[in-house]
Amino acid sequence: MDNATSQIPIPFHESSGEPIPDPGIAKAMDRIRESLEQKAIAAGLPVPSNGKPLPNDVLRSALFGVSEKVFRREEKIASVEGLDVYMVRGYRPTQAHLDVWEQCLDLAAKHGTGKRIRFSVYSFLKAIGRNTGKSDYEWLKEAINDLASCLVRISNGRYTYFGTLIQDGFRDEETNEYVIKINEALALLFMGGRWTALDGEQRQMLRKHPLAQWLHAFYSTHAEPYAYKVATLKELCGSDTEELWKFRQMLRRALKKLAETTGWE
């Protein structure tokens, strides 16, 4: 993907030459902002009545895309206007990785970001609708390793999160239990209601249809659907399909599946 066109251009205006605010007011505003940030981090991730919380800044980009995972270094990821998303280093995650990360954030929301979270592989796989055979245990191990080594930079104009998607953790090989930690700074991406709780049942029904899953997550962040060009959606979902006409066919099938699952028109 051409990095130069990975985001819709944003017009940035030059300074209008307005006078510098009073230093006392500026310091007071800094203290207020710092207090709000500390409260947001202390509060942790939101716990919705339904669904699992995910930051819109992630769902409105190709960070968790529809292509196969591939190792990237300092790659700008396609995103909507107002966002800057970078893969600093690691395997670029897929929709399957998003299932795992979504469950990790849900556990962090309930037990506390920045705290150690313990879970069994069996319970985790059941929670995301996966089978619990040996191959699934290995699949989860690889997915968690990918997320722990995936270093990203996400900026929404106000805050920039830089770090891994899972901070750290360990695995008990005898009991098949994990203990992980989610970086508490991720809570800043949820400030101001910039998050969405996806319908987990619908997402599981779309599991074998990654483009439909991406569309479901992407449009779930919209209060009302917005008309995007096919080429824009191709870019935003991270599709590696070169021919636009071929992607258009894939998009039609995905939208049909999405409509059947959700009832969306």
Side-chain angles (χ1 to χ4, degrees):
M1 183 180 295
D2 183 1
N3 291 343
T5 60
S6 62
Q7 186 184 32
I8 301 172
I10 312 172
F12 290 100
H13 302 289
E14 297 294 335
S15 172
S16 60
E18 296 179 353
I20 300 175
D22 180 87
I25 296 177
K27 288 182 178 180
M29 294 300 293
D30 286 341
R31 287 195 295 270
I32 292 173
R33 183 175 63 251
E34 184 178 354
S35 175
L36 291 174
E37 292 167 358
Q38 291 175 346
K39 288 180 180 178
I41 292 175
L45 306 186
V47 182
S49 56
N50 293 298
K52 302 173 183 178
L54 284 167
N56 290 346
D57 295 344
V58 168
L59 301 182
R60 292 173 178 172
S61 76
L63 180 59
F64 290 88
V66 301
S67 59
E68 296 295 324
K69 77 171 188 179
V70 60
F71 189 86
R72 297 296 188 193
R73 185 185 295 273
E74 202 60 38
E75 177 187 37
K76 188 170 187 180
I77 303 298
S79 60
V80 299
E81 182 177 355
L83 292 178
D84 281 312
V85 182
Y86 283 86
M87 269 291 304
V88 180
R89 185 182 68 252
Y91 283 102
R92 183 170 168 182
T94 66
Q95 284 297 301
H97 287 94
L98 183 57
D99 291 335
V100 176
W101 196 56
E102 178 187 41
Q103 178 64 12
C104 289
L105 291 191
D106 183 52
L107 292 172
K110 294 174 180 175
H111 299 287
T113 51
K115 296 181 179 179
R116 297 292 179 186
I117 304 166
R118 181 181 293 272
F119 58 85
S120 69
V121 176
Y122 178 84
S123 65
F124 194 98
L125 289 170
K126 294 292 286 185
I128 62 175
R130 303 281 301 206
N131 294 327
T132 55
K134 182 178 179 180
S135 61
D136 299 283
Y137 276 51
E138 291 301 315
W139 171 83
L140 182 60
K141 180 190 295 186
E142 183 177 357
I144 289 178
N145 286 341
D146 290 341
L147 292 170
S149 61
C150 184
L151 185 60
V152 301
R153 187 165 68 250
I154 303 168
S155 178
N156 58 29
R158 177 62 183 274
Y159 294 106
T160 297
Y161 171 79
F162 50 93
T164 52
L165 297 174
I166 294 178
Q167 185 167 332
D168 57 42
F170 65 88
R171 180 176 61 251
D172 188 323
E173 301 292 354
E174 291 187 2
T175 64
N176 281 318
E177 289 183 311
Y178 275 89
V179 176
I180 66 167
K181 184 178 179 182
I182 298 297
N183 194 329
E184 60 186 7
L186 272 170
L188 295 176
L189 294 182
F190 289 77
M191 285 187 67
R194 299 174 67 96
W195 59 275
T196 297
L198 300 184
D199 187 310
E201 183 178 349
Q202 291 177 351
R203 181 167 175 82
Q204 286 189 16
M205 292 171 66
L206 297 170
R207 195 182 72 194
K208 296 184 179 180
H209 307 273
L211 180 53
Q213 277 192 315
W214 182 88
L215 290 165
H216 178 255
F218 179 69
Y219 278 108
S220 291
T221 69
H222 292 58
E224 295 182 2
Y226 179 82
Y228 291 90
K229 295 180 180 179
V230 173
T232 301
L233 289 174
K234 176 179 178 296
E235 191 176 5
L236 287 174
C237 74
S239 174
D240 54 9
T241 302
E242 295 183 2
E243 299 88 350
L244 185 61
W245 65 268
K246 187 177 293 186
F247 176 78
R248 184 179 285 109
Q249 292 180 341
M250 296 167 59
L251 180 62
R252 286 172 178 161
R253 290 193 295 269
L255 288 171
K256 181 180 179 181
K257 181 65 178 177
L258 183 62
E260 292 172 351
T261 303
T262 63
W264 297 352
E265 296 182 3

